[in-house]
Amino acid sequence: MNNLLSIFALGGINEIGKNMYVLQYDEDLVIVDCGGKFPDESLPGIDLIIPDISYLEENRDKIRGLIVTHGHEDHIGGIPYLLKKINIPVYATRFTLGMIEIKLDEHRLMRDTTLLTIDESSNLQLGSIGVSFFSVSHSIPDCLGIVFHTPQGDVVHTGDFKFDLTPMNHQRSDLHKIADIGRNGVLALLSESTNAERSGLTPSEQMVGEHMNEAFIKSEGKIFVSTFASNVNRVQQVVNSAILTNRKLALLGLSMVNVVGVAMERGYLDIPEGMLIEPREIDTHDPGRVAILCTGSQGEQMAALGRLSSGQFRDVSIHPGDTVILAASPIPGNEKAVSRIIDNLFHLGANVIYGSGSTTGMHVSGHGYQEDLKLMLTLIKPAYFIPIHGENRMLHHHRMLAESVGVEEGNTFIIKNGEVVDIENGLARQTRSVPSGDTYVDGVSVGDVGSIVLRDRKQLSEDGMVVIIITLNKSDQRILSGPDTITRGFVFVKNSERLIHDLNALAGKVFSELPQEERRQWSVIKQSIKKAVGQYLFKHTKRKPMILPVIIEI
């Protein structure tokens, strides 16, 4: 029997998003979370990034289940794609299962998937690994931390957490249970690092409610509030402010409608009967008696707020005097897109409340600041520490916090996705790796868009395309027509007639200078034209469009 305990991540380290962690003991393997990550501008055409699961596919017989800590996209977004490859049971809380079911319905996987409900008092036995849980506060209901009981010792995964003593939903991080876990001895702690750079304690969610009420009371026109659909606590605060000011409430954006539906159905959101109205009914009410909850707080162009800011949302418009509240902070990388939408909103004459949560009071983080992280470390008292869920600088800050509260120097492992921490007989080491990386989802295609395709897309987006068409006589390889040049996204043809003429002449010259035997080798013809035209264009335009020679034989 192999007594080796192995811990590693396939996503979620050195990055914010696509969280997936694996704990393996002997022949038993348990997965924690399976998230997705939205692409930035460097990945044109990509809809979603999910973890590379090739290691899991190779070890599918060892997998005992997937445990999901909570229902945010970066923890559940990859689940349908995992289940299409490996059908395993999924363990999650009631609300989290509701969020997962929305995705499984979209992918038509509900019938074939085993979904099992857990809570903070559940105990599981997954092969040789026992599992128990503890509740934590976050910005979404029903969040769990996990304790893995292995023959080598206990391993704790915090999930995403903060210590909020006055949370909106009364779901507090269970300090007493966390302390008991620490007293029993913890071999290793995996703790999130998102806010490891921010000093102090995370502010309470209650603060947002007070500022939201104040903004609603002062506003005379329609009020638009954009936030993460999954932040049910924030949604409830908007509902409460709308009740206070006697406003009806409309929902814009598919994810907002879906999440609110799940939250109401399962008892996590309280909206009075008759308060919700359809978007088409908004203009039938006094503007001062309507509030609108919408998606798009991260600057997504096609989300509800993006379309509102450009005047492209059917049935609903933003008018001078309306108030728009961005009740979420931009995720790193989204700042430019959010700024663009804010500019558009001001142009429409709206009163826009935006900026960091500390500035406006409209947002508090769901992730613990330094004092929260230090409290978790102090209560758990791990022998070994693995900071997760953060970029590299965050992990290093978290390591320093751990050492400041007593974790022995050298017992923190700052690893990359795929790097394995092996623990045997109480001793941990990091000497090996497993396959890891990104898998790109493009429409219905998963994994067939690689670096070469992305390089081509980037080239097309930056410098455009030049197509050179030559028609040849099949019998003697004489040019019957052309070369003819077509461009897209490169130059405006009417203003570049001389350039196009020169390209045609150059392509014809290159072809005519080829030896007779090479004129029947299309690959040689295309490569020769591509090289000559590429050099000519760079010399005269300093640009490198994609060049596509097309040979037609008749």
Side-chain angles (χ1 to χ4, degrees):
M1 180 177 178
N2 179 7
N3 294 316
L4 193 66
L5 171 64
S6 300
I7 304 167
F8 55 93
L10 295 176
I13 296 185
N14 298 128
E15 62 183 344
I16 302 293
K18 70 176 182 66
N19 293 276
M20 178 181 256
Y21 307 95
V22 177
L23 185 136
Q24 185 172 352
Y25 180 81
D26 194 23
E27 294 297 303
D28 301 309
L29 184 155
V30 181
I31 306 167
V32 178
D33 294 336
C34 181
K37 179 180 178 181
F38 293 113
D40 58 25
E41 294 175 352
S42 68
L43 298 172
I46 300 302
D47 299 316
L48 186 67
I49 308 169
I50 58 176
D52 177 353
I53 61 168
S54 54
Y55 178 84
L56 300 178
E57 292 183 88
E58 292 170 7
N59 293 272
R60 64 176 66 233
D61 295 337
K62 299 177 183 178
I63 301 174
R64 303 295 170 247
L66 166 65
I67 301 173
V68 185
T69 59
H70 64 283
H72 276 148
E73 185 70 22
D74 58 335
H75 295 259
I76 67 171
I79 290 177
Y81 305 98
L82 172 66
L83 295 179
K84 286 176 182 178
K85 297 287 185 71
I86 312 169
N87 192 354
I88 54 176
V90 179
Y91 299 86
T93 56
R94 283 182 65 245
F95 182 78
T96 304
L97 285 180
M99 301 293 288
I100 293 170
E101 286 171 7
I102 293 173
K103 295 187 172 298
L104 298 185
D105 276 334
E106 291 173 359
H107 289 262
R108 300 180 181 177
L109 292 170
M110 275 295 294
R111 182 181 300 177
D112 301 320
T113 304
T114 302
L115 300 176
L116 300 163
T117 305
I118 54 175
D119 58 31
E120 67 273 12
S121 62
S122 297
N123 289 281
L124 309 175
Q125 191 65 41
L126 303 178
S128 58
I129 303 171
V131 188
S132 60
F133 304 91
F134 55 94
S135 61
V136 291
S137 296
H138 188 39
S139 55
I140 190 172
D142 277 7
C143 300
L144 295 176
I146 309 171
V147 186
F148 295 100
H149 307 280
T150 79
Q152 287 287 339
D154 289 353
V155 176
V156 174
H157 185 298
T158 64
D160 289 1
F161 77 95
K162 64 177 179 178
F163 289 103
D164 187 347
L165 301 181
T166 55
M168 271 294 298
N169 56 10
H170 306 294
Q171 294 182 354
R172 299 172 179 84
S173 295
D174 193 337
L175 284 161
H176 298 291
K177 192 167 186 178
I178 295 169
D180 286 340
I181 293 165
R183 275 192 289 269
N184 291 331
V186 172
L187 177 64
L189 169 67
L190 286 72
S191 182
E192 69 131 324
S193 310
T194 311
N195 279 332
E197 299 170 285
R198 304 178 72 172
S199 61
L201 280 163
T202 312
S204 172
E205 189 74 27
Q206 292 285 1
M207 180 189 78
V208 176
E210 297 165 8
H211 287 89
M212 192 74 69
N213 287 343
E214 183 181 348
F216 269 62
I217 291 168
K218 288 181 178 179
S219 300
E220 297 180 358
K222 299 192 296 294
I223 297 178
F224 295 80
V225 182
S226 182
T227 188
F228 291 109
S230 59
N231 194 338
V232 175
N233 299 338
R234 192 68 42 77
V235 172
Q236 185 66 64
Q237 288 171 320
V238 174
V239 171
N240 295 346
S241 296
I243 294 171
L244 177 69
T245 54
N246 194 28
R247 290 175 183 263
K248 297 289 187 180
L249 184 66
L251 306 176
L252 303 184
L254 180 60
S255 61
M256 185 67 72
V257 172
N258 286 341
V259 172
V260 168
V262 169
M264 290 179 65
E265 176 192 334
R266 303 195 176 208
Y268 294 90
L269 189 59
D270 183 18
I271 301 180
E273 188 173 348
M275 184 179 189
L276 287 177
I277 60 173
E278 294 295 324
R280 63 177 178 274
E281 300 176 66
I282 290 174
D283 286 341
T284 66
H285 293 268
D286 179 349
R289 291 290 175 260
V290 179
I292 298 101
L293 256 172
C294 61
T295 57
S297 63
Q298 297 306 304
E300 308 96 313
Q301 276 191 317
M302 296 310 296
L305 186 62
R307 289 155 57 202
L308 285 166
S309 73
S310 59
Q312 296 177 353
F313 201 102
R314 189 177 62 184
D315 299 327
V316 188
S317 298
I318 294 176
H319 297 120
D322 289 344
T323 296
V324 180
I325 300 171
L326 273 72
S329 295
I331 293 171
N334 292 346
E335 294 90 350
K336 187 183 294 185
V338 173
S339 294
R340 189 182 305 121
I341 284 179
I342 291 171
D343 283 344
N344 291 344
L345 294 171
F346 274 113
H347 183 71
L348 293 173
N351 170 34
V352 189
I353 301 174
Y354 68 99
S356 66
S358 59
T359 304
T360 65
M362 292 299 180
H363 175 67
V364 296
S365 178
H367 303 272
Y369 289 10
Q370 289 182 351
E371 296 305 313
D372 302 70
L373 302 180
K374 285 158 67 175
L375 179 55
M376 180 64 78
L377 284 156
T378 302
L379 293 174
I380 293 292
K381 300 188 290 287
Y384 294 104
F385 176 50
I386 305 173
I388 59 172
H389 198 300
E391 295 170 358
N392 200 48
R393 66 184 188 280
M394 302 169 188
L395 306 182
H396 281 275
H397 275 283
H398 206 171
R399 173 186 59 78
M400 291 187 285
L401 293 176
E403 291 174 358
S404 75
V405 296
V407 174
E408 189 175 328
E409 189 175 345
N411 280 11
T412 297
F413 290 87
I414 296 181
I415 57 176
K416 299 176 182 177
N417 291 327
E419 293 183 346
V420 182
V421 175
D422 288 319
I423 305 177
E424 189 172 21
N425 300 323
L427 296 176
R429 64 187 186 278
Q430 197 286 302
T431 58
R432 65 187 181 97
S433 300
V434 300
S436 67
D438 293 339
T439 299
Y440 299 122
V441 179
D442 183 0
V444 297
S445 301
V446 181
D448 59 356
V449 176
S451 58
I452 295 175
V453 173
L454 289 173
R455 182 198 64 197
D456 288 347
R457 289 181 180 180
K458 196 165 186 293
Q459 186 179 8
L460 283 168
S461 69
E462 291 176 350
D463 292 321
M465 176 174 65
V466 173
V467 181
I468 299 171
I469 303 171
I470 301 176
T471 304
L472 303 178
N473 186 309
K474 191 172 185 179
S475 60
D476 59 12
Q477 297 300 293
R478 287 183 300 106
I479 295 179
L480 295 180
S481 69
D484 295 310
T485 299
I486 300 171
T487 75
R488 291 292 183 271
F490 175 56
V491 293
F492 184 49
V493 173
K494 287 187 177 180
N495 295 341
S496 306
E497 292 180 354
R498 181 55 186 266
L499 178 66
I500 300 300
H501 175 271
D502 290 347
L503 291 182
N504 291 338
L506 176 60
K509 182 173 182 289
V510 169
F511 178 81
S512 65
E513 291 178 352
L514 287 173
Q516 191 67 33
E517 63 272 12
E518 292 184 355
R519 295 187 186 184
R520 296 188 179 275
Q521 300 177 37
W522 283 17
S523 61
V524 174
I525 299 172
K526 290 181 178 181
Q527 191 60 37
S528 301
I529 293 174
K530 188 174 180 180
K531 181 179 179 181
V533 169
Q535 291 173 344
Y536 180 87
L537 288 176
F538 185 74
K539 179 180 178 181
H540 289 83
T541 68
K542 299 303 181 200
R543 290 156 67 186
K544 294 182 177 181
M546 180 174 289
I547 301 166
L548 297 178
V550 176
I551 311 299
I552 302 172
E553 282 188 340
I554 58 175

